[in-house]
Amino acid sequence: MKIVLLGAPGAGKGTQAQSISKYFNIPHISTGDIFRKNISEGTKLGKTAKRYMDAGQLVPDQLTLDLIEDRLNQEDCHRGYLLDGYPRTVVQADFLEEMLRRKHDQLDCALLIAVPREAILDRITGRRICPSCGASYHLKHNPPLKKDTCDICGHQVIQRLDDKAETVEERLDVYDEQTKPLISFYDERCILKSVDGTRAINQIFNDIVKVLSEVRLHDHTQE
Ligand code: AMP
Protein backbone atom coordinates (compact mmCIF):
# COMPACT_ATOMS: atom_id res chain seq x y z
CA MET A 1 0.00 0.00 0.00
CA LYS A 2 1.47 3.35 -1.04
CA ILE A 3 0.10 6.25 0.91
CA VAL A 4 0.72 9.98 1.01
CA LEU A 5 -0.25 11.74 4.21
CA LEU A 6 -1.54 15.29 3.75
CA GLY A 7 -2.34 18.00 6.27
CA ALA A 8 -1.05 21.30 7.58
CA PRO A 9 2.01 21.33 9.81
CA GLY A 10 0.64 20.43 13.25
CA ALA A 11 -2.34 18.45 11.92
CA GLY A 12 -0.97 15.34 13.65
CA LYS A 13 0.66 13.63 10.68
CA GLY A 14 3.76 12.51 12.60
CA THR A 15 1.79 11.03 15.50
CA GLN A 16 -0.64 9.16 13.25
CA ALA A 17 2.12 8.10 10.88
CA GLN A 18 3.88 6.16 13.63
CA SER A 19 0.70 4.19 14.41
CA ILE A 20 -0.23 3.66 10.75
CA SER A 21 3.24 2.40 9.96
CA LYS A 22 3.06 -0.17 12.78
CA TYR A 23 -0.53 -1.24 12.10
CA PHE A 24 -0.10 -1.74 8.36
CA ASN A 25 3.54 -2.77 8.58
CA ILE A 26 4.87 -0.27 6.04
CA PRO A 27 7.85 2.07 6.48
CA HIS A 28 7.14 5.62 7.62
CA ILE A 29 9.13 8.01 5.46
CA SER A 30 9.32 11.58 6.66
CA THR A 31 11.40 13.99 4.61
CA GLY A 32 11.46 16.32 7.63
CA ASP A 33 13.07 13.52 9.69
CA ILE A 34 15.57 12.83 6.89
CA PHE A 35 16.57 16.51 6.84
CA ARG A 36 16.82 16.64 10.64
CA LYS A 37 19.04 13.54 10.62
CA ASN A 38 21.28 15.22 8.04
CA ILE A 39 21.41 18.33 10.20
CA SER A 40 22.44 16.38 13.28
CA GLU A 41 25.10 14.55 11.27
CA GLY A 42 26.37 17.87 9.88
CA THR A 43 26.11 16.82 6.21
CA LYS A 44 26.18 19.33 3.33
CA LEU A 45 22.50 18.64 2.65
CA GLY A 46 21.74 19.20 6.34
CA LYS A 47 23.52 22.56 6.36
CA THR A 48 21.59 23.80 3.34
CA ALA A 49 18.24 22.43 4.55
CA LYS A 50 18.64 24.00 7.99
CA ARG A 51 18.66 27.53 6.60
CA TYR A 52 15.24 27.03 5.02
CA MET A 53 13.75 25.00 7.86
CA ASP A 54 14.68 27.49 10.57
CA ALA A 55 13.00 30.22 8.54
CA GLY A 56 9.79 28.19 8.10
CA GLN A 57 10.40 27.88 4.34
CA LEU A 58 10.37 24.77 2.18
CA VAL A 59 13.68 23.27 1.19
CA PRO A 60 14.03 23.78 -2.62
CA ASP A 61 12.33 21.03 -4.66
CA GLN A 62 15.58 20.05 -6.36
CA LEU A 63 17.07 18.94 -3.04
CA THR A 64 14.14 16.64 -2.27
CA LEU A 65 13.75 14.82 -5.59
CA ASP A 66 16.85 12.56 -5.66
CA LEU A 67 16.56 12.06 -1.95
CA ILE A 68 13.03 10.66 -2.14
CA GLU A 69 13.78 8.58 -5.23
CA ASP A 70 16.74 6.92 -3.48
CA ARG A 71 14.69 6.25 -0.38
CA LEU A 72 11.72 4.76 -2.24
CA ASN A 73 14.02 2.48 -4.21
CA GLN A 74 15.26 0.82 -1.04
CA GLU A 75 14.25 -2.76 -0.35
CA ASP A 76 11.89 -2.03 2.57
CA CYS A 77 9.65 0.09 0.29
CA HIS A 78 8.98 -2.73 -2.09
CA ARG A 79 5.48 -3.51 -0.79
CA GLY A 80 4.49 -0.02 0.16
CA TYR A 81 5.23 3.01 2.30
CA LEU A 82 3.70 5.91 4.09
CA LEU A 83 5.00 9.29 2.97
CA ASP A 84 4.78 12.03 5.60
CA GLY A 85 5.79 15.53 4.52
CA TYR A 86 6.33 14.58 0.89
CA PRO A 87 5.11 15.78 -1.57
CA ARG A 88 4.92 19.37 -0.36
CA THR A 89 4.52 21.07 -3.76
CA VAL A 90 2.88 20.26 -7.08
CA VAL A 91 6.38 19.88 -8.59
CA GLN A 92 7.14 17.15 -6.03
CA ALA A 93 3.76 15.46 -6.61
CA ASP A 94 4.38 15.43 -10.38
CA PHE A 95 7.84 13.98 -9.80
CA LEU A 96 6.48 11.20 -7.59
CA GLU A 97 3.71 10.39 -10.03
CA GLU A 98 6.16 10.20 -12.92
CA MET A 99 8.59 8.06 -10.91
CA LEU A 100 5.79 5.59 -10.11
CA ARG A 101 4.47 5.68 -13.67
CA ARG A 102 7.89 4.56 -14.96
CA LYS A 103 7.44 1.45 -12.82
CA HIS A 104 3.82 1.01 -13.98
CA ASP A 105 2.79 1.80 -10.46
CA GLN A 106 0.70 4.41 -8.66
CA LEU A 107 -0.28 5.70 -5.22
CA ASP A 108 -3.20 3.99 -3.50
CA CYS A 109 -4.32 6.84 -1.31
CA ALA A 110 -3.71 10.46 -0.34
CA LEU A 111 -5.01 10.73 3.20
CA LEU A 112 -5.81 14.21 4.47
CA ILE A 113 -5.90 14.88 8.20
CA ALA A 114 -8.14 17.95 8.19
CA VAL A 115 -7.67 20.56 10.93
CA PRO A 116 -8.60 24.28 10.73
CA ARG A 117 -5.79 26.81 10.88
CA GLU A 118 -6.83 28.27 14.28
CA ALA A 119 -6.55 24.87 16.00
CA ILE A 120 -3.16 24.30 14.40
CA LEU A 121 -1.51 27.29 16.02
CA ASP A 122 -2.30 26.07 19.54
CA ARG A 123 -1.07 22.62 18.65
CA ILE A 124 2.23 23.42 17.00
CA THR A 125 3.47 25.72 19.70
CA GLY A 126 2.79 23.00 22.35
CA ARG A 127 4.49 20.27 20.37
CA ARG A 128 7.62 18.56 21.71
CA ILE A 129 9.66 15.87 20.02
CA CYS A 130 12.31 13.42 21.05
CA PRO A 131 15.51 14.22 19.11
CA SER A 132 16.74 10.69 19.72
CA CYS A 133 13.89 8.37 18.61
CA GLY A 134 11.54 10.84 16.87
CA ALA A 135 8.49 10.28 19.14
CA SER A 136 6.24 13.32 19.34
CA TYR A 137 4.23 14.77 22.22
CA HIS A 138 2.05 17.76 23.09
CA LEU A 139 2.32 19.62 26.38
CA LYS A 140 -1.50 19.71 26.79
CA HIS A 141 -2.99 16.95 24.66
CA ASN A 142 -0.38 14.18 24.76
CA PRO A 143 2.29 14.95 27.38
CA PRO A 144 5.09 12.49 28.18
CA LEU A 145 4.43 10.51 31.40
CA LYS A 146 7.44 12.12 33.07
CA LYS A 147 7.91 15.85 32.47
CA ASP A 148 10.12 16.64 29.46
CA THR A 149 11.21 13.00 29.14
CA CYS A 150 10.54 10.67 26.21
CA ASP A 151 8.33 7.70 27.22
CA ILE A 152 10.06 5.47 24.72
CA CYS A 153 13.78 6.13 25.16
CA GLY A 154 14.11 8.42 28.18
CA HIS A 155 15.84 11.21 26.21
CA GLN A 156 14.92 14.82 27.00
CA VAL A 157 12.17 16.08 24.66
CA ILE A 158 12.64 19.44 22.91
CA GLN A 159 10.75 22.05 20.92
CA ARG A 160 11.80 22.11 17.28
CA LEU A 161 13.18 25.48 16.23
CA ASP A 162 10.60 25.64 13.44
CA ASP A 163 7.77 25.02 15.94
CA LYS A 164 8.40 28.34 17.70
CA ALA A 165 5.50 30.80 17.41
CA GLU A 166 7.45 33.22 15.15
CA THR A 167 7.95 30.57 12.50
CA VAL A 168 4.54 28.91 12.70
CA GLU A 169 2.53 31.63 10.90
CA GLU A 170 5.09 31.58 8.12
CA ARG A 171 4.88 27.78 7.82
CA LEU A 172 1.07 27.94 7.66
CA ASP A 173 1.24 30.56 4.88
CA VAL A 174 3.69 28.36 2.99
CA TYR A 175 1.33 25.40 3.48
CA ASP A 176 -1.67 27.36 2.15
CA GLU A 177 0.23 28.56 -0.89
CA GLN A 178 2.33 25.56 -1.87
CA THR A 179 0.97 22.38 -0.28
CA LYS A 180 -2.80 22.89 -0.08
CA PRO A 181 -3.16 22.66 -3.89
CA LEU A 182 -2.23 18.97 -3.52
CA ILE A 183 -5.68 18.33 -2.04
CA SER A 184 -7.29 19.04 -5.42
CA PHE A 185 -4.36 17.37 -7.23
CA TYR A 186 -5.19 14.03 -5.56
CA ASP A 187 -8.93 14.63 -5.55
CA GLU A 188 -8.78 14.88 -9.34
CA ARG A 189 -7.05 11.49 -9.37
CA CYS A 190 -9.85 10.06 -7.19
CA ILE A 191 -7.52 8.83 -4.43
CA LEU A 192 -8.16 11.55 -1.85
CA LYS A 193 -9.64 10.46 1.50
CA SER A 194 -10.16 12.76 4.43
CA VAL A 195 -10.49 12.30 8.19
CA ASP A 196 -11.50 14.87 10.80
CA GLY A 197 -8.26 15.65 12.63
CA THR A 198 -9.79 17.76 15.41
CA ARG A 199 -10.77 14.83 17.64
CA ALA A 200 -8.84 12.63 20.07
CA ILE A 201 -5.74 10.91 18.70
CA ASN A 202 -7.19 7.39 19.05
CA GLN A 203 -10.51 8.38 17.42
CA ILE A 204 -8.66 9.81 14.45
CA PHE A 205 -6.59 6.65 14.25
CA ASN A 206 -9.75 4.47 14.26
CA ASP A 207 -11.10 6.46 11.30
CA ILE A 208 -7.79 6.13 9.50
CA VAL A 209 -7.75 2.36 9.99
CA LYS A 210 -11.27 2.14 8.53
CA VAL A 211 -10.36 4.25 5.51
CA LEU A 212 -7.06 2.49 4.82
CA SER A 213 -8.49 -0.99 5.32
CA GLU A 214 -10.94 -0.20 2.51
CA VAL A 215 -8.07 1.04 0.37
CA ARG A 216 -6.06 -2.10 1.11
CA LEU A 217 -8.90 -4.28 -0.16
CA HIS A 218 -8.30 -2.80 -3.60
CA ASP A 219 -4.51 -2.85 -3.46
CA HIS A 220 -3.11 -5.35 -5.94
CA THR A 221 0.34 -5.56 -4.26
CA GLN A 222 -1.27 -7.23 -1.21
CA GLU A 223 -2.58 -10.16 -3.25
P1 AMP B 1 8.11 18.42 8.78
O1 AMP B 1 8.85 17.64 9.79
O2 AMP B 1 7.46 17.53 7.73
O3 AMP B 1 7.14 19.40 9.35
O4 AMP B 1 9.20 19.28 7.97
C1 AMP B 1 9.97 20.27 8.60
C2 AMP B 1 10.60 21.18 7.58
O5 AMP B 1 11.43 20.41 6.70
C3 AMP B 1 9.60 21.88 6.64
O6 AMP B 1 9.07 23.04 7.22
C4 AMP B 1 10.50 22.16 5.44
O7 AMP B 1 11.37 23.24 5.70
C5 AMP B 1 11.37 20.91 5.37
N1 AMP B 1 10.74 19.88 4.52
C6 AMP B 1 10.30 18.65 4.90
N2 AMP B 1 9.82 17.97 3.86
C7 AMP B 1 9.95 18.78 2.78
C8 AMP B 1 9.62 18.65 1.40
N3 AMP B 1 9.03 17.53 0.92
N4 AMP B 1 9.90 19.69 0.58
C9 AMP B 1 10.49 20.80 1.04
N5 AMP B 1 10.81 21.00 2.33
C10 AMP B 1 10.55 20.00 3.20
Side-chain angles (χ1 to χ4, degrees):
M1 199 158 47
K2 299 183 180 67
I3 307 162
V4 157
L5 206 50
L6 295 177
K13 297 193 298 298
T15 306
Q16 296 296 342
Q18 289 178 33
S19 309
I20 297 169
S21 159
K22 263 192 224 134
Y23 189 94
F24 290 97
N25 195 23
I26 45 176
H28 165 209
I29 298 169
S30 151
T31 38
D33 284 351
I34 297 176
F35 288 133
R36 283 184 285 278
K37 184 161 181 279
N38 274 274
I39 292 172
S40 69
E41 289 169 355
T43 68
K44 192 169 164 235
L45 173 67
K47 281 184 187 127
T48 313
K50 189 175 189 315
R51 287 208 314 270
Y52 295 94
M53 290 169 75
D54 287 352
Q57 295 286 335
L58 293 185
V59 174
D61 285 328
Q62 206 46 48
L63 292 181
T64 66
L65 306 184
D66 292 348
L67 181 144
I68 204 76
E69 184 160 15
D70 284 353
R71 182 64 190 91
L72 298 186
N73 279 331
Q74 286 172 22
E75 185 61 32
D76 63 333
C77 292
H78 188 58
R79 297 213 31 222
Y81 41 77
L82 174 67
L83 283 175
D84 161 17
Y86 188 98
R88 276 286 225 289
T89 63
V90 173
V91 169
Q92 294 180 12
D94 280 334
F95 179 86
L96 177 63
E97 190 170 63
E98 182 50 35
M99 191 186 127
L100 287 167
R101 193 179 290 145
R102 285 199 304 270
K103 299 177 183 172
H104 310 285
D105 204 351
Q106 60 192 23
L107 288 173
D108 298 293
C109 180
L111 178 68
L112 171 68
I113 303 182
V115 182
R117 185 174 169 127
E118 315 78 67
I120 296 274
L121 265 170
D122 162 66
R123 283 190 183 186
I124 292 198
T125 48
R127 181 158 68 180
R128 297 293 179 271
I129 60 137
C130 172
S132 174
C133 74
S136 72
Y137 302 91
H138 190 282
L139 293 182
K140 261 194 274 172
H141 312 301
N142 177 33
L145 296 171
K146 191 173 158 216
K147 193 170 182 287
D148 294 338
T149 308
C150 178
D151 294 347
I152 296 169
C153 71
H155 208 276
Q156 188 181 16
V157 300
I158 55 159
Q159 182 175 44
R160 279 166 32 182
L161 213 53
D162 57 348
D163 280 350
K164 303 224 186 260
E166 315 82 84
T167 332
V168 174
E169 290 279 2
E170 172 66 20
R171 292 177 68 202
L172 289 173
D173 289 345
V174 168
Y175 172 78
D176 284 345
E177 276 163 36
Q178 304 201 50
T179 310
K180 226 176 177 179
L182 297 181
I183 297 174
S184 0
F185 181 97
Y186 288 119
D187 198 19
E188 283 160 18
R189 283 149 181 82
C190 302
I191 57 164
L192 181 74
K193 307 273 177 199
S194 177
V195 294
D196 174 358
T198 60
R199 296 162 323 133
I201 291 174
N202 62 334
Q203 289 176 325
I204 302 168
F205 184 60
N206 288 344
D207 280 0
I208 292 178
V209 168
K210 264 187 227 147
V211 168
L212 293 183
S213 300
E214 273 287 307
V215 169
R216 186 165 59 172
L217 280 179
H218 304 284
D219 173 14
H220 61 281
T221 60
Q222 302 292 321
E223 285 161 10

